[in-house]
Amino acid sequence: MSYDKNGGSHILSPLKEKKSVLRDVLEGLALVDDERLSRKSAELRDRLDNYSAKVTLVGQVKAGKTLLANTMIGAPGLLPSDVNPWTSVVTTVHMNETLRHDQRAVFKFFDKEDWKELREGGGRLGEMARRTNSGEEMEELAVQLATMEEKTRRRLGANFELLLGGRHNFSSFDSSLIERYVCVGEEDDEGAPTQPGRFADMTKSADLYLETSLYEVPLSICDTPGVNDPFLVREQVTLNSLGDTDICVVVLSAHQALTTMDIALLRVLVSLKNEQIILFVNRIDELPDPKSAEAEIEKHIRDTLKRASMLGDIPIIFGSALWAEAALNDSLQDIPEESAAPLLKDLNEIEGDVRDLAFRRSGLPELQAAIAERIENGSFQTMMDDVVAQTLNSARQARMTFARGMSDGAGQLQEIVDPHLVVDHVDNLVRNLTAKMADVLDAEMHTFTTSVEKVVSGFRMKETRALAASLNAKDAGAIWASDTAPLRRDLKDTFVEFSERVRRNLHIEYATVAKGVEDAYRLTTTDDQVSVDAPQVPLAPVPTIVSRKLAMDMGGSWWSRWLGGARKADTRVREFAEILDREVEPVVAELCDNQAETYLMAGRAKIAEFVAQHCETLERLSKMGHESADNASEAREASVKAMKLALKRLESAIPRLETLVVREAPDLRLVENM
């Protein structure tokens, strides 16, 4: 790919083309003289227009994550890239999204409860410190928090209390405005900030909206502080962002990637599917010979992922955000000499322009292509499949209604059926299936909760035994550390297996209901084109809660002090088991009581909506038969022209819709590795 500042536009253009085809069909259906079809078409058109893919960036400290985000946005220098990691804010740049307001920048502040919990209890960090009886750490944390609050109050004065729970909105923005909310500067002896950053300590998230020709479809780039916030204030915001992301780009430093794969990053990755993850090894410009080093770095990363049981095709892309920025700005002459050296060496071996070479070697084109491929085959295709399925069902219902209305009784009409009998047919079908499925899904839920309990119990037993052995071994207790990676992985795998079993059962239920509805239509017409497709099964949520930092993950002085002291070994083992249970309890509750239950509710709601829509159509069809018998052809003759036009549009739209259907049979096997 040659240098092109608008390269992303070409990469994502197939998505725009597919959307355009479906949107054209929906606009045509909206013209059909059927209020219900027009309303549904408008609803689906809005969903199509409002689709926006989301890419979230997490990364190691000083890996150049924000610099990379700026190049992906096509706006070098927009987001502050020289920020202490614990002071950065979850910042999402929304490109080409449909706005229903004139706010181009929205900065949300922590509310009173957030701040109270942080001030009085130290937030999540304080909670973990209390559970491990880390008195000295609590005192140190209290001093740090008091200092932070004092500085913040000094900056904001009387505005401090007023800002809690509020937001600041702007109709335009630039980098200096953004810095005021996401970048805390140092202070002079008088306590006044020497750099912009007046509101940063209080800012929970930042949302920026811009129009760009870089991407032809709406796309969001979310730059997170990741898991490096020492107070864990923004950890949940980061995990929430990952919960609805399409792609997670993990940014590593070429130097750090060779020596360590941050454990905190592995915590984040374990909750995601492999196809959501892209690893970007940044700052290769700082390596003396990037090409020769890449193979060794990739092998180390693959080995680390393998040890973490993260198998499968996770792409690893090497590049330099600095080179990308220089190519976009045409400022290669300004980059450090050592960073330019690898490019100049390559330029001597090939013919071409140094700017073009810098852009290609930056890894940005390859990263854009990998993102586009995963979006197109992932959330975009899922959205398209669902919209097509709903559109097709609505169009077919309208076609049957108009065909019935135009029928003159010559072979098209069945013997007139009581409308209530038709609806009752579907109601009985659904009632029987619902009762059966309730038992099946309740059993799946019981299996899931039992499996989760076994995972936690097994982990507790393994860790307490390891701790006891360590404490009883000479000089070993001080170096023992709990490894929560297997717990996270097993909880995630258990949830994935549960959601796949539920998906399989819902698919069977949906297909059975669709067949029953189709049979009901045949009670009202002999139309051989009657066809009802089952709705799309909802996607299960991403179990990001398993990535939450636990007290057992704390290193340094936390555990060395806890392991020390005069307590007996069995006392410490018992205390550790209690700490583990209290830390894991909210994770299990979120998985079982929220995410699993929410998924079951979404599955039931989907089929209920599907049935309600078809019951309405069936009732209309049945009543039309009675109206035809009681009323001569006067009403039909008055509207026959409109009906013919409507049928013509529907007969044209349905084949186009059918070409958009992905007819692959769903894989009903349990996923062994996601």
Side-chain angles (χ1 to χ4, degrees):
M1 174 181 176
S2 61
Y3 166 74
D4 181 357
K5 188 171 182 177
N6 292 326
S9 172
H10 305 307
I11 291 171
L12 292 176
S13 58
L15 278 68
K16 181 181 181 181
E17 293 167 6
K18 290 181 179 180
K19 283 179 64 176
S20 297
V21 172
L22 183 51
R23 198 181 196 287
D24 182 54
V25 173
L26 287 167
E27 287 180 344
L29 291 177
L31 299 175
V32 174
D33 188 18
D34 184 283
E35 181 181 351
R36 195 166 60 128
L37 178 61
S38 297
R39 186 171 61 250
K40 188 66 174 179
S41 297
E43 172 194 320
L44 293 173
R45 191 170 65 244
D46 285 345
R47 182 179 171 192
L48 193 66
D49 291 343
N50 292 327
Y51 168 80
S52 177
K54 182 178 179 182
V55 179
T56 300
L57 276 66
V58 297
Q60 293 174 308
V61 178
K62 298 187 181 300
K65 175 173 53 65
T66 302
L67 186 63
L68 177 65
N70 284 332
T71 62
M72 293 172 66
I73 296 165
L78 177 64
L79 304 180
S81 57
D82 185 19
V83 183
N84 293 329
W86 67 270
T87 59
S88 58
V89 171
V90 177
T91 304
T92 304
V93 180
H94 307 263
M95 294 177 283
N96 303 327
E97 290 190 4
T98 303
L99 290 180
R100 289 179 170 81
H101 51 74
D102 61 355
Q103 301 163 1
R104 294 286 174 174
V106 179
F107 302 97
K108 298 177 183 177
F109 301 117
F110 289 108
D111 60 30
K112 292 183 179 180
E113 287 303 313
D114 292 329
W115 199 263
K116 180 181 178 182
E117 180 184 352
L118 185 64
R119 180 184 61 220
E120 297 181 359
R124 272 284 297 146
L125 194 66
E127 179 185 340
M128 291 190 292
R130 287 190 296 277
R131 285 179 179 168
T132 55
N133 295 316
S134 303
E136 294 185 30
E137 280 72 20
M138 278 297 295
E139 292 178 7
E140 181 182 345
L141 177 61
V143 171
Q144 292 175 355
L145 291 170
T147 301
M148 184 179 76
E149 180 173 353
E150 180 185 356
K151 289 181 178 179
T152 305
R153 286 183 179 276
R154 196 160 55 228
R155 286 194 192 105
L156 302 175
N159 291 326
F160 176 82
E161 297 290 345
L162 297 175
L163 290 174
L164 290 173
R167 63 173 65 190
H168 281 178
N169 305 321
F170 299 90
S171 59
S172 63
F173 61 88
D174 56 21
S175 58
S176 61
L177 175 69
I178 297 170
E179 285 181 355
R180 294 172 61 193
Y181 291 87
V182 306
C183 177
V184 174
E186 298 178 355
E187 296 182 345
D188 59 23
D189 294 337
E190 301 297 324
T194 59
Q195 300 175 13
R198 177 175 172 82
F199 304 101
D201 279 333
M202 296 188 65
T203 306
K204 190 172 187 176
S205 64
D207 290 275
L208 310 172
Y209 300 84
L210 59 83
E211 298 294 323
T212 175
S213 61
L214 187 59
Y215 301 101
E216 292 189 17
V217 298
L219 182 71
S220 299
I221 304 292
C222 181
D223 185 19
T224 74
V227 288
N228 294 311
D229 181 356
F231 297 150
L232 305 184
V233 177
R234 298 183 177 92
E235 180 193 54
Q236 192 57 50
V237 182
T238 296
L239 294 182
N240 289 344
S241 178
L242 287 170
D244 64 354
T245 196
D246 298 299
I247 305 295
C248 177
V249 177
V250 183
V251 187
L252 310 174
S253 166
H255 297 290
Q256 291 173 288
L258 185 58
T259 58
T260 180
M261 180 77 168
D262 197 322
I263 293 176
L265 284 179
L266 288 176
R267 280 199 293 109
V268 170
L269 299 185
V270 74
S271 66
L272 303 175
K273 297 178 182 178
N274 284 356
E275 56 265 32
Q276 291 180 280
I277 302 170
I278 300 173
L279 300 184
F280 187 85
V281 182
N282 193 24
R283 299 176 65 178
I284 65 169
D285 56 282
E286 298 176 9
L287 300 176
D289 188 358
K291 286 185 177 179
S292 63
E294 287 178 8
E296 184 182 0
I297 294 173
E298 179 166 355
K299 182 180 183 304
H300 171 78
I301 294 174
R302 296 284 183 200
D303 289 344
T304 304
L305 293 175
K306 185 177 181 179
R307 287 194 298 272
S309 298
M310 296 183 62
L311 308 176
D313 184 23
I314 297 178
I316 300 176
I317 299 171
F318 291 84
S320 166
L322 181 67
W323 287 347
E325 180 184 55
L328 291 172
N329 284 340
D330 196 12
S331 59
L332 286 162
Q333 69 279 0
D334 297 330
I335 67 175
E337 184 177 339
E338 59 272 18
S339 295
L343 287 176
L344 296 177
K345 179 182 178 182
D346 288 347
L347 195 62
N348 292 331
E349 300 174 1
I350 61 174
E351 293 184 3
D353 175 76
V354 67
R355 187 182 184 192
D356 178 80
L357 176 64
F359 188 67
R360 285 187 285 111
R361 289 293 310 279
S362 73
L364 184 59
E366 188 179 354
L367 177 60
Q368 288 176 323
I371 289 172
E373 178 186 6
R374 278 158 177 74
I375 289 174
E376 182 174 4
N377 297 326
S379 67
F380 177 78
Q381 190 60 55
T382 299
M383 180 274 298
M384 286 285 290
D385 288 346
D386 192 43
V387 172
V388 168
Q390 291 192 56
T391 306
L392 197 51
N393 265 324
S394 296
R396 285 170 175 166
Q397 290 174 63
R399 188 191 64 76
M400 283 189 288
T401 301
F402 283 112
R404 179 63 177 267
M406 290 181 61
S407 173
D408 60 2
Q412 279 280 353
L413 290 176
Q414 289 281 70
E415 182 180 347
I416 296 172
V417 180
D418 186 338
H420 299 294
L421 293 179
V422 177
V423 175
D424 286 347
H425 170 85
V426 178
D427 283 344
N428 290 332
L429 170 73
V430 173
R431 189 179 303 110
N432 292 334
L433 276 173
T434 299
K436 180 181 177 182
M437 283 306 301
D439 292 338
V440 172
L441 296 180
D442 286 346
E444 291 293 356
M445 191 66 187
H446 176 73
T447 300
F448 172 61
T449 54
T450 302
S451 298
V452 168
E453 290 170 1
K454 287 181 179 179
V455 166
V456 175
S457 176
F459 179 76
R460 183 195 306 111
M461 181 180 298
K462 180 177 72 70
E463 291 298 284
T464 51
R465 285 177 176 175
L467 174 58
S470 178
L471 291 171
N472 291 325
K474 186 178 180 180
D475 297 328
I479 62 172
W480 180 85
S482 177
D483 179 12
T484 61
L487 173 65
R488 300 177 194 283
R489 184 173 61 248
D490 290 345
L491 286 175
K492 179 264 186 101
D493 290 345
T494 301
F495 182 80
V496 169
E497 290 171 4
F498 159 77
S499 61
E500 284 298 306
R501 289 195 303 269
V502 169
R503 183 178 71 88
R504 178 182 60 189
N505 286 315
L506 288 176
H507 174 82
I508 294 171
E509 178 188 15
Y510 287 10
T512 304
V513 170
K515 179 64 170 61
V517 170
E518 187 174 301
D519 290 342
Y521 278 119
R522 297 189 188 282
L523 294 174
T524 66
T525 179
T526 58
D527 186 352
D528 59 4
Q529 295 187 52
V530 171
S531 178
V532 177
D533 290 340
Q536 298 289 311
V537 176
L539 294 177
V542 177
T544 55
I545 187 64
V546 303
S547 296
R548 186 187 193 192
K549 194 167 188 174
L550 304 174
M552 294 83 75
D553 299 314
M554 303 302 292
S557 60
W558 286 68
W559 286 106
S560 62
R561 291 177 181 173
W562 185 85
L563 288 166
R567 300 189 310 282
K568 293 181 179 180
D570 58 349
T571 300
R572 277 181 284 182
V573 170
R574 187 183 68 253
E575 290 175 352
F576 174 79
E578 293 172 354
I579 291 170
L580 188 154
D581 287 342
R582 287 196 297 268
E583 283 289 286
V584 173
E585 182 181 2
V587 175
V588 171
E590 172 67 16
L591 275 179
C592 297
D593 300 339
N594 190 357
Q595 294 193 310
E597 285 288 355
T598 299
Y599 184 45
L600 295 182
M601 290 173 60
R604 292 178 175 125
K606 187 87 171 187
I607 197 65
E609 179 187 6
F610 173 84
V611 169
Q613 183 183 20
H614 281 287
C615 280
E616 183 180 346
T617 301
L618 284 163
E619 192 168 3
R620 290 173 67 188
L621 286 171
S622 299
K623 287 180 177 179
M624 288 174 70
H626 282 269
E627 290 166 358
S628 299
D630 297 337
N631 194 354
S633 59
E634 182 178 348
R636 290 202 307 276
E637 290 175 358
S639 59
V640 68
K641 186 176 181 180
M643 288 185 178
K644 285 183 177 180
L645 178 60
L647 271 175
K648 183 177 180 181
R649 284 174 173 155
L650 289 166
E651 297 290 358
S652 173
I654 290 175
R656 293 183 69 190
L657 284 168
E658 290 175 335
T659 64
L660 297 173
V661 175
V662 177
R663 296 197 178 277
E664 294 181 5
D667 182 4
L668 301 183
R669 298 168 300 174
L670 296 184
V671 173
E672 296 178 358
N673 179 46
M674 296 188 69

